[in-house]
C-alpha cells in the first residue's frame, strides 16, 4: 500500500471522526438544551457509530485516526518512523479540518476557541484510563483470533468510555487539539490540552505494557496499520 493512500485515509477518517464528535455535540445541545445527560448520550452514540463505520470502510488502507496508536505501532516495529510521522501529521490536519467543517455545518464561526476548561486530577486520571483501555481493546483485538471485530470493539468501547470515564474519553491527541477550535458542547480550552495529552501518552504506555503481557506474540501484528481508533 502506498504511503499516499495511507495518509489520505488517515486524513479523511480523522476529519469525519472529529466532524462527528463536534457536530453531534452541537446538534445534541440544540435538540436537548435542558438535559445534559441526553446530550452526552446523543454525542456518544453518534461518535461510536461513526467510528465503527469509518474503521470498516478504511481499514483495508489505514484506520488509526489516533497518534497514540500510530506511535505504538512504531514502537512495536510494525511501521517505520517516516510512515508514522506522515500518518500523525495527516491525523492532526484531518482533525482540524473536521472541526472547521463541523462548525460551518451548524452556522458557527469556522474557528471559535473553546472556553470549556477541563482540568483536575480526576479528569487526567480519566484520560489515562480511557487511553489505556483503548490501546488494550485495539491491540488485543488485533492479536486475537478474529481481527474483523476490531471496528465493533473500538466503537463500542468509545461509546461506553464516554460514560464511565470522568473526562468523557477523548483518548486521542489529534482529536483533543481539534476540539479546541470549537467553543461548543465538545470543546476543550487550549490551556487544558497539555495535561490531557500527557495523560493520554501515559495511558497509552501503560496499555502497551498490558497488551505485551497478555499477548506476548508479535508475529500476528505484522499488518497493524489497517485499523484503530477515536475520539
Amino acid at each position: 500500500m502506498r504511503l499516499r493512500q495511507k495518509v489520505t485515509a488517515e486524513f479523511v477518517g480523522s476529519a469525519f471522526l472529529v466532524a462527528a464528535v463536534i457536530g453531534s455535540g452541537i446538534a445534541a445541545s440544540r435538540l436537548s438544551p435542558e438535559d445534559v445527560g441526553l446530550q452526552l448520550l446523543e454525542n456518544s452514540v453518534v461518535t461510536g457509530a461513526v467510528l465503527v463505520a469509518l474503521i470498516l470502510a478504511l481499514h483495508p488502507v489505514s484506520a488509526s485516526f489516533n497518534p497514540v496508536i500510530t506511535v505504538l505501532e512504531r514502537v512495536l516495529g510494525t511501521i517505520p518512523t517516516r510512515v508514522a510521522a506522515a500518518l500523525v501529521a495527516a491525523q492532526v490536519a484531518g482533525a482540524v479540518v473536521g472541526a472547521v467543517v463541523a462548525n460551518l455545518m451548524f452556522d458557527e464561526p469556522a474557528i471559535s476557541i473553546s472556553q470549556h476548561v477541563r482540568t483536575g486530577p480526576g479528569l487526567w486520571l480519566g484520560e489515562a484510563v480511557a487511553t489505556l483501555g483503548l490501546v488494550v481493546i485495539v491491540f488485543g483485538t488485533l492479536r486475537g483470533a478474529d481481527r474483523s471485530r476490531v471496528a465493533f470493539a473500538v466503537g463500542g468501547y468509545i461509546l461506553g468510555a464516554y460514560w464511565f470515564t470522568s473526562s468523557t474519553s477523548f483518548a486521542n491527541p489529534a482529536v483533543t487539539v481539534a476540539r479546541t477550535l470549537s467553543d461548543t458542547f465538545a470543546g476543550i480550552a487550549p490551556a487544558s490540552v497539555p495535561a490531557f495529552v500527557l495523560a493520554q501518552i501515559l495511558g497509552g504506555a501503560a496499555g502497551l505494557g498490558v497488551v505485551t503481557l497478555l499477548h506476548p506474540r508479535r508475529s500476528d501484528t505484522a499488518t497493524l496499520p489497517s485499523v484503530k481508533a477515536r475520539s
Side-chain angles (χ1 to χ4, degrees):
M1 194 70 65
R2 292 183 178 180
L3 179 58
R4 179 174 60 183
Q5 292 172 291
K6 293 181 181 295
V7 166
T8 300
E10 290 294 335
F11 178 90
V12 171
S14 297
F16 270 100
L17 176 58
V18 172
V21 172
I22 293 178
S24 64
I26 297 173
S29 63
R30 294 179 181 180
L31 293 170
S32 312
E34 304 301 325
D35 191 334
V36 178
L38 184 55
Q39 292 172 15
L40 185 61
L41 177 62
E42 293 161 347
N43 190 209
S44 62
V45 169
V46 170
T47 300
V50 169
L51 189 51
V52 169
L54 288 172
I55 294 174
L56 287 174
L58 297 176
H59 89 68
V61 182
S62 185
S64 297
F65 320 141
N66 190 330
V68 169
I69 300 298
T70 299
V71 169
L72 291 183
E73 288 185 293
R74 175 63 191 92
V75 171
L76 290 169
T78 60
I79 56 175
T81 300
R82 181 176 70 91
V83 172
L87 297 185
V88 168
Q91 290 158 0
V92 174
V96 168
V97 169
V100 171
V101 170
N103 287 334
L104 292 175
M105 285 195 296
F106 288 90
D107 294 321
E108 297 284 341
I111 294 176
S112 58
I113 303 302
S114 177
Q115 304 302 308
H116 190 170
V117 176
R118 302 175 189 258
T119 188
L123 294 184
W124 302 333
L125 177 59
E127 267 304 277
V129 169
T131 310
L132 187 160
L134 178 61
V135 169
V136 171
I137 293 296
V138 169
F139 289 96
T141 305
L142 288 173
R143 292 187 175 196
D146 188 355
R147 293 184 175 190
S148 64
R149 298 177 179 176
V150 69
F152 303 101
V154 171
Y157 173 78
I158 290 301
L159 193 161
Y162 259 78
W163 290 87
F164 81 77
T165 64
S166 57
S167 64
T168 67
S169 183
F170 285 48
N172 185 324
V175 170
T176 303
V177 170
R179 286 167 72 163
T180 66
L181 304 179
S182 185
D183 191 19
T184 58
F185 179 81
I188 179 173
S192 300
V193 168
F196 261 58
V197 172
L198 177 59
Q200 291 159 3
I201 292 171
L202 295 175
L208 179 61
V210 173
V211 170
T212 302
L213 178 63
L214 296 178
H215 303 277
R217 293 174 301 161
R218 296 183 55 136
S219 59
D220 55 356
T221 65
T223 56
L224 282 184
S226 53
V227 272
K228 292 116 295 183
R230 195 242 205 325
S231 133

